Amino acid sequence: MDRSVCSRCNCFSKAKVHVVIDAGDVARAADLLHDVVAPTPLEYSRWLSELVGGDVFLKCENLQRTGSFKLRGAYVRMARLSKAERSRGVVAASAGNHAQGVALAAQLLGIKATVFMPNGAPIPKEKATRAYGAEIRFVGTSIDDCLVAARAFEAETGAVLIHPFDHPDIVAGQATTGLEIVEQCPQVRTVVVPTGGGGLLAGIAAALQRDGVPVEVVGVQAAGAAAYPGSLAAGEPVQLERMRTMADGIAVGLPGKVPFETVQRYVGDVRTVGEDSLSKALLLILERAKLVVEPAGAAAVAAVLDEPRRFKPPVVAVLSGGNIDPLLLMRVIRHGMAAAGRYLSLRVRIPDTPGGLATLVNQLAAMDANIIEIVHERISETLSLDEVEVALQLELRGEEHRERLLTGLVANGYSYTLN
């Protein structure tokens, strides 16, 4: 393997990087991880299979130790450090999943770990990282900000930077997920992978290069943090100017040089999904598969839901992580219900007459709407003297029910505005 490494800071140089992760690299990584990670389940999904028109399986990396795939790459990278390197400690930058992987690997290997996390990182991820023994420092608002701080810490202290995705050992470790997919589903034809910096995508793509068996690997990014489509079009990693997404686990503004070359070579497509799709997917995974995932972990399923006939079965959708703050989970569930037409917030004007509110409530009940919250507002400069406004939050059965209810309100003489 040709690795062009900068001797000053142990990072990859700005020159063209030629790194090919081959079957031997992946096999050696799997040997290192044999007693460290447990193979995660591959669960059949009946509801997704019906949409796709063929078998769909969920690769449950959300059930891995530390709640994501990140332990695989972190442990492989750190297990190969020399005794002198281990004595200097390690440093990492992460929104939480890589942080936990590095912290646990450091605990298992007896190495001091310092992790830079962005301000606002999910509290459960922070607490879990501390519980594994790592020191946490908060800086900036993104993984990119944390990487700058981690590199400065590396230069100052001599600690070894454990990059979240831009190193051959990291990619080889993540590739073991692909080995498990092949063992668990030898007939697989499409693998859909949540993608941030590209380590997991590149690793799985490298692991699935099998003679005579065409397997398409598809990356999925959040539309508000999609660095790969533009970078692939440009032929090199291109920095995003801004990012905005609930999927913090894949919010990476610059693809790594090492995974980028593998993605260029082996990945058939990188798609994007919106916030509504992410929240709908998370909600459906919770309801139908009885699995808890974070928004980033739901990205592959979101892509399948957006365009189910795009993916040739058998399909494996990777659930890359399950570390989600309960408060965020509540908000995402609410957002997902709204996106799926099962939650509706609106304001309805009614006559200011005795029984006006009761009539509206009865008509909503007749249309099978469950009222979650109702506020009766009598005073507003926008209201006529003979009318009042009612703010409603309703629980519905889905998009068809939503449209039927709104049509029914108009038919009964009401005007409304959606919140």
Side-chain angles (χ1 to χ4, degrees), residues 42-45 48-49 52-59 181 185 187-193 215-216 218 300-301 303-304 307-318:
L42 191 74
E43 297 288 344
Y44 179 71
S45 175
L48 285 174
S49 297
V52 170
D55 290 341
V56 178
F57 300 86
L58 303 175
K59 178 59 174 170
I181 290 172
C185 184
Q187 71 276 24
V188 63
R189 288 297 173 266
T190 309
V191 180
V192 192
V193 187
V215 180
E216 183 184 23
V218 179
V301 171
V304 175
E307 197 174 349
R309 299 293 172 166
R310 154 68 181 80
F311 303 96
K312 182 177 180 180
V315 176
V316 173
V318 179

Side-chain angles (χ1 to χ4, degrees), residues 43-334:
E43 297 288 344
Y44 179 71
S45 175
R46 186 180 305 277
W47 55 283
L48 285 174
S49 297
E50 290 174 355
L51 288 173
V52 170
D55 290 341
V56 178
F57 300 86
L58 303 175
K59 178 59 174 170
C60 301
E61 282 296 288
N62 59 312
L63 301 180
Q64 185 57 261
R65 293 181 71 178
T66 74
S68 85
F69 68 94
K70 288 288 191 176
L71 176 62
R72 297 174 183 269
Y75 188 89
V76 171
R77 172 80 171 97
M78 292 163 66
R80 289 174 173 169
L81 296 178
S82 67
K83 184 177 180 179
E85 288 173 323
R86 294 188 188 195
S87 69
R88 299 200 300 270
V90 298
V91 61
S94 170
N97 288 341
H98 181 59
Q100 290 175 74
V102 167
L104 178 55
Q107 183 185 79
L108 295 172
L109 295 166
I111 302 172
K112 175 178 172 55
T114 303
V115 179
F116 287 87
M117 299 181 74
N119 288 295
I123 293 173
K125 294 182 181 182
E126 173 201 344
K127 288 186 174 180
T129 302
R130 291 189 193 278
Y132 291 128
E135 177 187 346
I136 293 178
R137 301 188 183 188
F138 290 99
V139 62
T141 58
S142 70
I143 295 174
D144 298 318
D145 294 335
C146 293
L147 275 170
V148 172
R151 288 194 172 102
F153 184 88
E154 177 189 35
E156 178 185 347
T157 66
V160 179
L161 175 65
I162 307 301
H163 199 284
F165 48 82
D166 205 12
H167 194 281
D169 290 339
I170 295 289
V171 176
Q174 319 305 27
T176 60
T177 309
L179 280 187
E180 290 180 18
I181 290 172
V182 171
E183 291 169 358
Q184 295 167 324
C185 184
Q187 71 276 24
V188 63
R189 288 297 173 266
T190 309
V191 180
V192 192
V193 187
T195 303
L200 180 63
L201 178 64
I204 289 177
L208 294 180
Q209 300 311 305
R210 298 178 292 161
D211 292 338
V213 182
V215 180
E216 183 184 23
V217 180
V218 179
V220 183
Q221 295 204 287
Y228 261 96
S231 296
L232 289 170
E236 62 181 358
V238 176
Q239 177 73 53
L240 288 177
E241 293 184 2
R242 65 184 66 86
M243 294 184 292
R244 185 173 182 179
T245 178
M246 70 176 81
D248 62 283
I250 52 175
V252 178
L254 181 67
K257 291 185 176 68
V258 172
F260 183 80
E261 184 164 335
T262 301
V263 170
Q264 272 188 312
R265 183 175 303 187
Y266 296 135
V267 173
D269 189 13
V270 176
R271 307 178 73 78
T272 61
V273 292
E275 302 297 283
D276 282 358
S277 295
L278 287 169
S279 56
K280 285 169 64 176
L282 187 151
L283 178 62
L284 284 168
I285 292 167
L286 181 63
E287 286 188 328
R288 303 299 295 271
K290 308 301 185 282
L291 292 167
V292 176
V293 296
E294 59 194 279
V301 171
V304 175
L305 290 172
D306 277 356
E307 197 174 349
R309 299 293 172 166
R310 154 68 181 80
F311 303 96
K312 182 177 180 180
V315 176
V316 173
V318 179
L319 307 181
S320 57
N323 296 310
I324 184 168
D325 187 319
L327 293 176
L328 175 61
L329 179 59
M330 290 169 59
R331 293 198 300 269
V332 172
I333 288 174
R334 201 173 198 180

Side-chain angles (χ1 to χ4, degrees), residues 1-4 18-22 25 28 80 168-169 172:
M1 192 186 309
D2 177 16
R3 304 182 183 183
S4 303
H18 296 288
V19 178
V20 176
I21 308 299
D22 59 27
D25 298 315
R28 286 186 289 274
R80 289 174 173 169
D169 290 339

Side-chain angles (χ1 to χ4, degrees), residues 280 338-342 396-404:
K280 285 169 64 176
R342 293 170 52 192
L396 307 175
R397 296 182 179 277
E399 293 180 1
E400 183 180 342
H401 187 195
R402 178 182 184 273
E403 293 307 311
R404 191 168 70 250

